[in-house]
């Protein structure tokens, strides 16, 4: 499988690997991301479907940047995760995949994770001088607007999670 | 009283004799949903097109982190609002993958049936609106008559015309009523005739060919690099359809073909969508036969830790009441883990990425919209062409702002 | 069998009645379509639930040439100044129909990105609830607007429209003073109004 190829050609690049419900995930070091991506590109993973991120606020390396790739020939899927801390930049994949352009802009907009060598890294979904990064866990759902959650019985706010902590 | 300053015409950008900047949108008749494209023009020729999105960003992903898995289903309806049921099916399949459960056979057939009806509906709107933008208004009226019948079918099934929220985790909301199958059988015959009528209006029409052939071509390698999926990718020549490549809901047992184009231009995309409509009709016929074969049965799984028990049991038996209470107050007991599940929606690969930490709400929900990468290539597609081509390309990309911006 | 009510049967010679009759039977819509309600609006304009029966067939998609602004879909905070600009560009007499729960109150999207009701930023005449409202409901909303128009009087000044233009002037002053984008200024005005207990910024 492709993971054996990566381990053969780039020893030490893969930090962790797990399979869950048929999905293969590898955790890669940010510094070696471009090498790993070039290796799997040669193995046939030529479509980058999606770049997204998860905010694990209590961990030291706060964000998990997640890449989903598809091999059109063998129909295999691969998920690559890179753990980054607050303010640390990742290399952009726009030179390899054109679909990375807007996906990385969205991650920058909603999480605040910068990407180096991106042709135009600016906000995508929010307006240019929007303060903050909405999908971070410390950003409130109503964005600081007190009218938003007024007069409703079951609040959507973080209290909704307390029943099953 | 002096005239309001809003009564004065406002120049739309620097006019220096060479270049002009024009805003197409966000309130524009041919931007479906709200899109904003800043066009830098030299006369009619487009030098650069910068799409600006986010005008319909409603915060769905963050809202999902405060709702239970079941409560997220109505939010998925509103993603691709032209084919709402496919979003419901895609999302519940992702949750079912996380739970490692499967819905009963009758529910699988019904899910395929409504997905194909929704795909038909989406293509009807897409081709109709594409035609309206280019100037062929009649095709839209014919196609919308069929879409009204699809609305009647959805209303019969789920109670709502557009946003049905028909699926539940583990199956469906309820079984179809007896009037559904005769109306669906009639519809299948009449929609064939309507598609033929529409093709008669457009396919060999020289004006349509002039406006759409050679406009917005893309090579297969470029399409793959841009992350294209769905009809736009197939029009470019890549025979990739998740229903054949990575089948789900027993699609491998149905008999249908995948239309593939050659140049990827607007004309090819129109032809691919039209042929997909015919193939959807083929699949719907097979679903109706299969429903008769399978006969009556459950449409949701029997596990009361995941699906709500029927109301008769809740009102008469203690343990069903307790199951009902636990499901509503505590939610489903989710395993810890993450999944990505993709289905072939009308526009392409609609993916749901769920991260669960075992709580009653997902820790992170991410939707991979099919038209997001397609629209990001807009600049490359229209550079050097005229504004009229930009309108045609925008229609053929079928950008639905609900799923683009979430 | 009581006294015969003449008002309905006989066209009175009062100027108001004549003008209002003309206005309400030729409402030219400006469909400000953002989301799913725009798809139901397409159904309303198509053959089954024809809105041209009400004189509202001429959809010009230009605020300069229409008198009824139909807000079809969710208004996000990014879209709010655009909506205000479009409403400002319409000539009087003008009316606004907020179609759908998203335009009326923010709908199910109580989030940082969605405006909790279009009436926070522009004056609204008729609210049509539903998600999306059935085409018959939209037609009923237009009929209610027609009833409202027939009760209007030419001599009454449109106070809410004046207040709206005053709020546009305030918005522009704030933009100049702070150097922020229109979206950020409108958002700050909306949040400030919410904190003071009010809802509207006009």
């Amino acid at each position: 499988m492709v993971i054996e190829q990566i381990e053969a050609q780039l020893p030490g690049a893969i930090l962790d690997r797990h399979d869950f419900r048929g999905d293969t995930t590898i955790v890669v070091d940010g510094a070696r991301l471009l090498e790993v991506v070039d290796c799997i590109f040669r193995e046939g993973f030529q479509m980058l479907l999606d770049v997204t991120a998860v905010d694990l606020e209590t961990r030291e390396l706060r964000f998990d940047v997640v890449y989903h790739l598809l091999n059109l020939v063998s129909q295999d899927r691969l998920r690559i995760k890179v753990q980054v801390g607050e303010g640390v930049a990742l290399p952009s994949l726009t030179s390899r995949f054109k679909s990375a352009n807007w996906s990385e802009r969205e991650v920058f907009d909603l999480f605040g994770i910068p990407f180096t060598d991106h042709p135009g890294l600016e906000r995508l979904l929010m307006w240019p001088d929007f303060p903050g990064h909405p999908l971070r866990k410390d950003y409130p759902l109503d964005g600081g607007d007190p009218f938003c959650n007024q007069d409703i019985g079951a609040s959507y706010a973080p209290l909704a999670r307390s029943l099953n902590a | 009283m002096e005239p309001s300053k809003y009564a004065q015409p406002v120049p739309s950008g620097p006019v220096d004799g060479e270049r002009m900047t024009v805003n197409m949108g966000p309130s524009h008749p041919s931007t479906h949903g709200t899109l904003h494209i800043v066009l830098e023009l030299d006369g009619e020729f487009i030098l650069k097109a910068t799409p600006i999105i986010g005008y319909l960003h409603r915060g769905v992903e963050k809202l999902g982190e405060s709702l239970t898995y079941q409560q997220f289903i109505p939010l998925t309806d509103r993603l691709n609002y032209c084919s709402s049921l496919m979003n419901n099916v895609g999302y519940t399949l992702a949750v079912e993958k996380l739970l490692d459960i499967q819905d009963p056979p009758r529910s699988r057939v019904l899910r395929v049936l409504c997905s194909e009806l929704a795909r038909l509906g989406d293509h009807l709107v897409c081709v109709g609106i594409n035609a309206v933008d280019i100037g062929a208004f009649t095709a839209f009226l014919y196609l919308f008559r069929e879409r009204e019948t699809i609305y009647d079918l959805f209303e019969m099934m789920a109670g709502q015309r557009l946003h049905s929220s028909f699926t539940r985790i583990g199956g469906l909301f309820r079984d179809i009523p007896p009037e559904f199958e005769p109306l669906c059988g009639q519809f299948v015959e009449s929609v064939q005739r309507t598609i033929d009528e529409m093709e008669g209006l457009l396919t060999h029409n020289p004006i349509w060919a002039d406006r759409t052939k050679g406009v917005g071509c893309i090579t297969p390698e470029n399409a793959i690099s841009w992350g294209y999926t769905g009809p736009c990718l197939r029009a470019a020549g890549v025979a990739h359809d998740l229903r054949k490549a990575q089948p789900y809901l027993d699609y491998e047992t149905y008999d249908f073909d995948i239309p593939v184009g050659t140049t990827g231009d607007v004309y090819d995309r129109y032809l691919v969508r039209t042929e997909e409509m015919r193939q959807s009709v083929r699949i719907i016929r097979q679903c109706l036969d299969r429903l008769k074969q399978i006969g009556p049965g459950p449409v949701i799984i029997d596990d009361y830790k995941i699906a709500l028990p029927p109301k008769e049991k809740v009102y008469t038996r203690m343990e069903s009441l307790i199951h009902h209470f636990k499901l509503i107050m505590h939610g489903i007991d989710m395993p810890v883990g993450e999944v990505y599940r993709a289905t072939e929606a009308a526009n392409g690969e609609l993916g749901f990425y769920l991260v669960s930490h075992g709580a009653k709400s997902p820790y992170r929900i991410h939707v991979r919209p099919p038209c997001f990468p397609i629209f990001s290539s807009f600049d490359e597609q229209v550079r050097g062409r005229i504004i009229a081509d930009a309108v045609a390309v925008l229609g053929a990309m079928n950008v639905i702002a609900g799923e683009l911006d979430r | 069998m009581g006294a015969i009510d003449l008002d309905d049967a006989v066209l009175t010679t009062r100027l108001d009645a004549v003008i209002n009759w003309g206005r309400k039977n030729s409402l030219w819509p400006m469909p400000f379509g953002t989301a799913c309600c725009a798809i139901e609006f397409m159904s309303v304009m198509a053959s089954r639930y024809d809105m041209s029966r009400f004189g509202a067939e001429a959809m010009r998609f230009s605020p300069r040439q229409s008198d009824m602004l139909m807000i079809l879909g969710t208004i996000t905070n990014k879209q709010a100044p655009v909506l205000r600009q479009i409403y400002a560009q319409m000539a009087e007499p003008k009316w606004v129909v907020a179609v759908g729960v998203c335009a009326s109150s923010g709908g199910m999207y109580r989030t940082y990105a969605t405006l909790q009701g279009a009436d926070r930023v522009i004056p609204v005449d008729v609210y049509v609830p539903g998600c999306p409202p059935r085409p018959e409901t939209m037609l009923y909303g237009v009929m209610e607007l027609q009833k409202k128009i027939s009760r209007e009087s030419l001599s009454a000044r449109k106070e809410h429209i004046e207040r709206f233009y005053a709020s546009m002037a305030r918005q522009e002053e704030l933009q100049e003073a702070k150097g922020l984008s229109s979206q950020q200024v409108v958002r700050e005005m909306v949040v400030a109004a919410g904190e003071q207990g009010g809802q509207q910024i006009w």
Side-chain angles (χ1 to χ4, degrees):
Chain A
M1 254 256 341
V2 71
I3 302 190
E4 282 76 39
Q5 301 280 347
I6 307 176
E7 295 201 310
Q9 295 175 30
L10 301 163
I14 299 185
L15 302 174
D16 189 15
R17 169 205 174 149
H18 44 268
D19 291 297
F20 180 71
R21 305 280 191 250
D23 282 355
T24 311
T25 310
I26 56 175
V27 181
V28 168
D29 187 17
R32 308 196 61 181
L33 176 66
L34 285 175
E35 297 171 345
V36 172
V37 162
D38 283 333
C39 175
I40 58 174
F41 190 90
R42 286 191 298 272
E43 297 299 322
F45 282 84
Q46 303 195 335
M47 186 180 274
L48 176 69
L49 289 170
D50 195 26
V51 182
T52 183
V54 185
D55 181 7
L56 299 142
E57 46 188 344
T58 49
R59 208 174 62 180
E60 194 199 318
L61 290 175
R62 182 178 179 179
F63 298 108
D64 253 347
V65 179
V66 182
Y67 299 84
H68 286 104
L69 293 120
L70 172 65
N71 185 335
L72 282 167
V73 172
S74 68
Q75 296 299 327
D76 282 327
R77 289 185 188 269
L78 182 65
R79 183 183 303 134
I80 299 181
K81 285 168 72 155
V82 181
Q83 299 178 347
V84 285
E86 170 85 54
V88 173
L90 275 181
S92 167
L93 296 184
T94 40
S95 47
R96 274 79 172 168
F97 303 103
K98 292 185 186 174
S99 57
N101 193 329
W102 273 22
S103 303
E104 288 174 353
R105 273 179 70 182
E106 187 192 322
V107 169
F108 170 69
D109 185 4
L110 299 176
F111 287 93
I113 301 171
F115 291 88
T116 53
D117 302 322
H118 191 281
L121 192 68
E122 43 185 25
R123 284 191 183 265
L124 186 69
L125 296 172
M126 308 307 297
W127 56 91
D129 47 357
F130 181 82
H133 297 283
L135 250 61
R136 291 190 172 194
K137 291 288 179 183
D138 46 11
Y139 191 89
L141 178 61
D142 57 10
D145 182 8
F147 176 69
C148 196
N149 280 313
Q150 234 178 42
D151 293 334
I152 47 170
S155 169
Y156 284 167
L159 298 172
R161 300 201 315 195
S162 67
L163 280 170
N164 209 21
Chain B
M1 190 169 99
E2 65 171 33
S4 148
K5 56 182 257 218
Y6 298 101
Q8 319 293 335
V10 177
S12 43
V15 180
D16 59 2
E18 291 291 324
R19 293 184 175 212
M20 190 161 80
T21 310
V22 168
N23 274 333
M24 201 166 127
S27 173
H28 189 269
S30 77
T31 57
H32 312 296
T34 44
L35 311 165
H36 181 189
I37 306 173
V38 180
L39 294 168
E40 282 176 42
L41 302 173
D42 173 18
E44 278 250 359
F45 290 93
I46 299 176
L47 298 168
K48 185 172 174 200
T50 314
I52 301 179
I53 66 172
Y55 288 93
L56 203 59
H57 175 66
R58 301 177 270 205
V60 162
E61 294 182 357
K62 191 157 179 96
L63 190 50
E65 293 170 13
S66 315
L67 297 175
T68 65
Y69 290 85
Q70 195 99 294
Q71 285 175 326
F72 193 70
I73 297 176
L75 288 176
T76 58
D77 262 327
R78 278 111 183 128
L79 289 172
N80 181 340
Y81 34 76
C82 296
S83 56
S84 320
L85 270 160
M86 303 189 82
N87 309 319
N88 291 341
V89 167
Y91 172 70
T92 42
L93 281 174
V95 181
E96 287 163 13
K97 179 174 174 178
L98 184 58
L99 284 169
D100 202 18
I101 58 173
Q102 204 185 37
D103 48 334
R106 191 170 165 88
S107 153
R108 285 201 290 277
V109 176
L110 281 172
R111 279 182 176 184
V112 170
L113 177 66
C114 14
S115 293
E116 294 305 318
L117 275 175
R119 189 190 311 272
L120 247 176
D122 196 299
H123 287 328
L124 287 171
V125 170
C126 176
V127 174
I129 297 294
N130 203 3
V132 165
D133 283 346
I134 294 183
F137 191 65
T138 319
F140 168 77
L141 289 174
Y142 290 176
L143 295 172
F144 240 75
R145 213 176 47 204
E146 297 305 322
R147 198 171 150 87
E148 288 290 336
T149 319
I150 296 183
Y151 283 160
D152 285 339
L153 287 167
F154 285 163
E155 198 176 6
M156 229 183 251
M157 279 195 311
Q160 234 269 33
R161 286 159 53 104
L162 198 60
H163 296 314
S164 43
S165 303
F166 190 44
T167 59
R168 297 287 180 269
I169 297 170
L172 296 171
F173 165 46
R174 64 181 185 193
D175 205 343
I176 51 173
E179 307 87 51
F180 182 87
E181 284 179 64
L183 182 60
C184 200
Q186 273 178 355
F187 165 73
V188 155
E189 301 308 319
S190 78
V191 81
Q192 295 270 45
R193 285 195 295 271
T194 305
I195 298 176
D196 290 333
E197 273 178 0
M198 177 206 74
E199 279 218 275
L201 280 175
L202 295 175
T203 308
H204 298 290
N205 185 335
I207 305 178
W208 181 257
D210 264 344
R211 284 294 301 267
T212 57
K213 275 196 178 153
V215 175
C217 299
I218 190 164
T219 61
E221 298 79 32
N222 215 7
I224 294 174
S225 180
W226 275 112
Y228 274 38
T229 48
C232 292
L233 178 66
R234 291 193 281 278
V238 181
H240 173 69
D241 186 326
L242 284 177
R243 295 175 291 170
K244 291 274 194 198
Q246 299 175 18
Y248 54 95
L249 289 176
D250 301 330
Y251 264 110
E252 64 273 15
T253 57
Y254 292 89
D255 194 20
F256 64 103
D257 297 316
I258 306 292
V260 178
T262 47
T263 56
D265 60 6
V266 174
Y267 191 71
D268 272 3
R269 291 176 195 181
Y270 152 75
L271 285 177
V272 164
R273 287 202 168 96
T274 310
E275 188 54 38
E276 277 189 16
M277 284 198 254
R278 295 194 204 280
Q279 298 300 320
S280 288
V281 170
R282 225 170 125 186
I283 299 177
I284 293 173
R285 281 214 178 90
Q286 293 170 49
C287 285
L288 288 171
D289 291 333
R290 214 171 274 213
L291 279 175
K292 292 196 183 67
Q293 273 173 11
I294 291 183
V299 288
I300 195 161
I301 59 166
D302 228 347
D303 187 353
Y304 296 150
K305 291 198 170 37
I306 294 172
L308 286 172
K311 279 289 191 277
E312 308 82 56
K313 284 196 179 169
V314 172
Y315 291 142
T316 53
R317 289 154 159 252
M318 194 58 194
E319 53 182 71
S320 300
L321 182 66
I322 296 176
H323 281 302
H324 186 249
F325 178 83
K326 286 210 73 147
L327 269 175
I328 300 289
M329 297 305 279
H330 291 248
I332 305 174
D333 276 325
M334 286 287 181
V336 177
E338 54 190 0
V339 288
Y340 175 80
R341 185 80 161 86
T343 51
E344 182 76 23
N347 262 342
E349 172 170 329
L350 174 69
F352 285 91
Y353 174 58
L354 293 168
V355 176
S356 155
H357 284 194
K360 88 183 213 179
S361 318
Y363 190 79
R364 170 96 170 98
I365 275 194
H366 176 69
V367 180
R368 189 257 177 205
C371 59
F372 187 77
I374 297 177
F375 190 49
S376 66
S377 69
F378 187 73
D379 184 26
E380 203 180 272
Q381 293 254 287
V382 302
R383 232 178 236 223
R385 309 206 68 102
I386 57 178
I387 302 179
D389 292 338
V391 169
V393 167
L394 191 57
M397 284 180 171
N398 199 23
V399 185
I400 311 272
E403 69 178 358
L404 181 74
D405 293 335
R406 288 150 280 143
Chain C
M1 206 45 180
I4 300 172
D5 195 16
L6 280 177
D7 283 346
D8 295 343
V10 176
L11 186 68
T12 62
T13 53
R14 285 167 54 233
L15 188 60
D16 280 347
V18 173
I19 300 279
N20 287 340
W21 172 84
R23 283 177 177 174
K24 75 182 186 190
N25 284 319
S26 66
L27 284 167
W28 286 13
M30 157 78 195
F32 192 81
T34 46
C36 353
C37 285
I39 308 293
E40 280 295 61
F41 180 72
M42 282 193 233
S43 286
V44 173
M45 298 309 280
S47 344
R48 201 192 267 197
Y49 304 101
D50 196 13
M51 193 147 91
S52 59
R53 300 180 269 170
F54 298 88
E57 184 173 28
M59 286 191 297
R60 294 286 179 249
F61 287 100
S62 163
R64 304 275 192 215
Q65 301 169 17
S66 52
D67 34 26
M68 173 171 71
L69 176 68
M70 300 188 79
I71 309 178
L72 304 160
T74 320
I75 302 294
T76 56
N77 289 322
K78 195 167 180 179
Q79 182 82 301
V82 175
L83 179 64
R84 282 163 67 80
Q85 182 80 352
I86 297 278
Y87 184 66
Q89 288 174 338
M90 284 169 76
E92 293 180 51
K94 53 187 176 181
W95 298 275
V96 176
V97 179
V99 177
V101 288
C102 288
S104 308
S105 70
M108 61 172 77
Y109 299 103
R110 287 181 169 260
T111 62
Y112 57 91
T114 306
L115 186 66
Q116 302 296 303
D119 59 352
R120 295 192 90 187
V121 295
I122 62 173
V124 171
D125 290 290
V126 176
Y127 301 85
V128 182
C131 191
R134 280 193 65 104
E136 292 101 323
T137 318
M138 276 195 235
L139 292 173
Y140 183 68
V142 173
M143 285 166 64
E144 287 293 306
L145 180 63
Q146 287 180 329
K147 281 190 218 165
K148 187 174 184 184
I149 293 172
S150 60
R151 291 195 299 264
E152 280 176 0
S153 160
L154 273 184
S155 57
R157 307 213 58 192
K158 291 286 181 69
E159 180 237 343
H160 58 269
I161 296 185
E162 275 190 30
R163 281 199 297 148
F164 170 75
Y165 281 111
S167 80
M168 286 296 281
R170 273 200 316 274
Q171 177 194 329
E172 268 155 41
E173 270 172 33
L174 281 170
Q175 266 179 263
E176 285 286 322
K178 295 192 183 177
L180 296 170
S181 67
S182 55
Q183 281 110 356
Q184 187 59 22
V185 166
V186 170
R187 173 73 174 158
E188 284 178 7
M189 287 169 81
V190 161
V191 172
E195 275 161 5
Q196 283 152 19
Q199 295 180 29
Q200 304 152 340
I201 63 176
W202 48 270

